[in-house]
Amino acid sequence: MSLVVFESLKQIHCAECRQGPLRHLVREAGVPRCLDCADLGHLVYLPRGDAALTRRSREASSLSAVVVRFHRRRRRYERLGLLVEDAALARAERDCLADSEARARRRERDRLRRAAEDTRFTAAFAAEIVRLFPGCPADRAVAIAQHASVRGSGRVGRTAAGRALDESAVSVAVRAAVRHTDTEYDALLMAGVPRFAARARLAARIDAILDGWRSLPS
Ligand SMILES: [Zn+2]
């Protein structure tokens, strides 16, 4: 059971000290009193809206009061906020800030960890390309690996087989790169040539390039 403070727009004055009209007042046995006379004058007002800040302020405050106002149309009291000790509010604000900073630091650590994983994976992918295709230029191998391992892309590097550096998955990525980069495949597609026809037309050329890459350049 918490103390209740009423917010009022009426011309109500304190029964004890006569000050008013009172925006915030306490009713004791139906008698209105100002916050000072009710020994709540030292509290500060925290409007509702931030659940974590409200909860922490209330927990840290040895004295607190709920501020309500009667909503005529809804015919019920509605909670507007909380009166809490200034020091409690300050502490709650510090705690909430520390929380959000901790969350930001955790996000940054996660981001760095993922970036490091991606870098390691891309390097391993490129190394596997070079192992399978020793004649593939090193910069091409890196470019293919980077392209294949873009996070969230659904590309072969993000599939289970790709993550495991499965030989056929790596070969599929290299073949796709050769098709797009070393042949006029994309131009054929743009010109309206059906995909399978374009692939069939270029298959021998692609095989020749891949065969060339399978051995070390002499
Ligand atoms: Zn008073």
Side-chain angles (χ1 to χ4, degrees), residues 13-19 22 32-38:
H13 290 71
C14 176
E16 202 164 319
C17 72
R18 297 286 153 205
Q19 72 161 300
L22 301 174
R33 280 197 174 80
C34 71
L35 297 184
D36 289 326
C37 290

Coordinates of all heavy atoms in Angstrom, one line a residue, residues 13-19 22 32-38, ligand 1:
H13 N -7.3 24.4 -1.3 CA -6.2 25.0 -0.4 C -5.9 24.0 0.7 O -6.8 23.2 1.1 CB -6.6 26.3 0.1 CG -6.6 27.4 -1.0 ND1 -7.6 27.4 -1.9 CD2 -5.8 28.4 -1.2 CE1 -7.3 28.4 -2.8 NE2 -6.2 29.1 -2.3
C14 N -4.7 24.1 1.3 CA -4.3 23.3 2.4 C -5.1 23.6 3.6 O -5.2 24.8 4.0 CB -2.8 23.5 2.6 SG -2.2 22.5 4.1
A15 N -5.6 22.6 4.3 CA -6.4 22.8 5.5 C -5.6 23.2 6.6 O -6.1 23.8 7.6 CB -7.2 21.5 5.8
E16 N -4.3 23.0 6.5 CA -3.4 23.4 7.6 C -2.8 24.7 7.5 O -2.9 25.6 8.3 CB -2.4 22.3 7.8 CG -1.8 22.2 9.2 CD -1.0 20.9 9.4 OE1 -1.5 19.8 8.9 OE2 0.1 20.9 10.0
C17 N -2.1 24.9 6.3 CA -1.3 26.2 6.2 C -2.0 27.1 5.2 O -1.5 28.2 5.0 CB 0.1 25.9 5.7 SG 0.2 25.3 4.0
R18 N -3.1 26.7 4.6 CA -3.9 27.6 3.8 C -3.3 27.9 2.4 O -3.9 28.7 1.7 CB -4.3 28.9 4.5 CG -5.1 28.7 5.8 CD -6.5 28.4 5.4 NE -7.2 27.6 6.4 CZ -8.2 26.8 6.2 NH1 -8.7 26.6 5.0 NH2 -8.8 26.1 7.2
Q19 N -2.1 27.4 2.1 CA -1.6 27.7 0.8 C -2.3 27.0 -0.3 O -3.0 26.0 -0.1 CB -0.1 27.4 0.7 CG 0.3 26.0 0.7 CD 1.7 25.7 0.2 OE1 2.0 26.1 -1.0 NE2 2.5 25.1 1.0
L22 N -3.8 24.1 -4.7 CA -2.7 23.1 -4.7 C -2.8 22.2 -5.9 O -3.9 21.7 -6.3 CB -3.0 22.1 -3.5 CG -2.9 22.8 -2.1 CD1 -3.3 21.8 -1.0 CD2 -1.5 23.4 -1.8
P32 N -7.8 18.0 2.8 CA -6.7 18.2 1.9 C -5.5 18.9 2.6 O -5.7 19.8 3.4 CB -7.3 19.1 0.8 CG -8.4 19.9 1.5 CD -8.9 19.0 2.6
R33 N -4.3 18.4 2.3 CA -3.1 19.0 2.9 C -2.1 19.2 1.7 O -2.0 18.3 0.8 CB -2.5 18.2 4.0 CG -3.2 18.4 5.3 CD -2.4 17.9 6.5 NE -3.0 18.2 7.7 CZ -4.0 17.5 8.2 NH1 -4.5 16.5 7.6 NH2 -4.6 17.9 9.4
C34 N -1.3 20.2 1.8 CA -0.2 20.4 0.9 C 0.9 19.4 1.2 O 0.9 18.8 2.3 CB 0.3 21.8 0.9 SG 1.3 22.2 2.4
L35 N 1.8 19.2 0.2 CA 2.9 18.2 0.4 C 3.8 18.6 1.6 O 4.2 17.7 2.3 CB 3.7 18.1 -0.9 CG 2.9 17.6 -2.1 CD1 3.9 17.4 -3.3 CD2 2.2 16.3 -1.8
D36 N 4.0 19.9 1.8 CA 4.8 20.3 2.9 C 4.2 19.9 4.2 O 4.9 19.3 5.1 CB 5.1 21.8 2.9 CG 6.0 22.2 1.7 OD1 6.9 21.5 1.4 OD2 5.7 23.3 1.1
C37 N 2.9 20.2 4.4 CA 2.3 19.8 5.6 C 2.1 18.3 5.8 O 2.0 17.8 6.9 CB 0.9 20.5 5.7 SG 1.0 22.3 5.9
A38 N 2.2 17.6 4.7 CA 2.1 16.1 4.7 C 3.5 15.5 4.8 O 3.6 14.3 4.7 CB 1.3 15.6 3.5
Ligands
ZN1 ZN 0.0 23.1 4.1

